[in-house]
Amino acid sequence: AQKVTQAQTEISVVEKEDVTLDCVYETRDTTYYLFWYKQPPSGELVFLIRRNSFDEQNEISGRYSWNFQKSTSSFNFTITASQVVDSAVYFCALTRHQAGTALIFGKGTTLSVSS
Amino acid sequence: DADVTQTPRNRITKTGKRIMLECSQTKGHDRMYWYRQDPGLGLRLIYYSFDVKDINKGEISDGYSVSRQAQAKFSLSLESAIPNQTALYFCATSDPRAAPNTGELFFGEGSRLTVL
């Protein structure tokens, strides 16, 4: 069975601190995709990144970076020099490749960044 | 205009009432989904549809029904609402013809339902 675990329920940091959000997944598939979504206080879901299981290169986008490690089944998300606008709920999700299933989401991590 | 539109955005209703949440999309995607979000529980799948003639139960379908009226429309109904169905509901679409087919979802803005 597929499963996504985000062990950190809530994280609080002060502006400019770096913060890492953990995501651990379980799947028996060899081909799969991992996602991160952001949900700001306004409630909409914002797509951040997609990664396929064959691409273990880390990715950096501005202050955001992602560390994908198949050996530990983890897909962690780091925000460098956090800002108040980063305050949101962040979801990690998993889907099978070309299978008739929907995204499986973790329970989310609430990040609060104070000034 | 949003590609995936949900109506109503907010609804307060009473226990026992029938309520329908509607979703329409202009993305031309065959696949549509209804998720429910509760604090601390993430998003959980209620129903999904891969085409007009295909309806599938998700993780938490009890107490809900759906109708796929057309490729672009997917409605979620609560026949007799109860307070523990108070939640934020999201409609989403995906395109199985996308290359690569990643299963990426495109979400509506959410419908907040309160059952008193």
Side-chain angles (χ1 to χ4, degrees), chain A residues 49-98:
Chain A
I49 190 172
R50 175 186 67 231
R51 172 68 69 210
N52 77 55
S53 53
F54 294 108
D55 182 1
E56 290 194 69
Q57 282 192 339
N58 292 333
E59 182 159 339
I60 299 175
S61 176
R63 296 184 297 106
Y64 294 172
S65 62
W66 291 268
N67 184 335
F68 175 33
Q69 292 193 339
K70 287 181 75 171
S71 61
T72 56
S73 296
S74 65
F75 186 42
N76 297 335
F77 173 31
T78 297
I79 302 174
T80 303
S82 59
Q83 300 177 0
V84 173
V85 294
D86 296 327
S87 297
V89 182
Y90 291 87
F91 293 100
C92 181
L94 168 70
T95 189
R96 308 172 80 176
H97 176 59
Q98 292 192 346

Side-chain angles (χ1 to χ4, degrees), chain A:
Chain A
Q2 294 185 304
K3 184 179 179 181
V4 176
T5 300
Q6 295 179 255
Q8 304 150 308
T9 304
E10 296 182 9
I11 301 175
S12 295
V13 299
V14 178
E15 250 188 332
K16 299 185 182 179
E17 283 187 36
D18 298 347
V19 58
T20 296
L21 283 59
D22 297 333
C23 174
V24 174
Y25 62 92
E26 297 175 25
T27 182
R28 295 181 180 177
D29 296 333
T30 55
T31 304
Y32 51 89
Y33 290 87
L34 294 160
F35 298 81
W36 276 94
Y37 283 85
K38 174 183 179 180
Q39 186 179 43
S42 51
E44 74 274 21
L45 287 160
V46 179
F47 167 81
L48 294 178
I49 190 172
R50 175 186 67 231
R51 172 68 69 210
N52 77 55
S53 53
F54 294 108
D55 182 1
E56 290 194 69
Q57 282 192 339
N58 292 333
E59 182 159 339
I60 299 175
S61 176
R63 296 184 297 106
Y64 294 172
S65 62
W66 291 268
N67 184 335
F68 175 33
Q69 292 193 339
K70 287 181 75 171
S71 61
T72 56
S73 296
S74 65
F75 186 42
N76 297 335
F77 173 31
T78 297
I79 302 174
T80 303
S82 59
Q83 300 177 0
V84 173
V85 294
D86 296 327
S87 297
V89 182
Y90 291 87
F91 293 100
C92 181
L94 168 70
T95 189
R96 308 172 80 176
H97 176 59
Q98 292 192 346
T101 58
L103 280 181
I104 305 298
F105 285 85
K107 294 183 178 181
T109 297
T110 300
L111 174 64
S112 298
V113 182
S114 58
S115 57

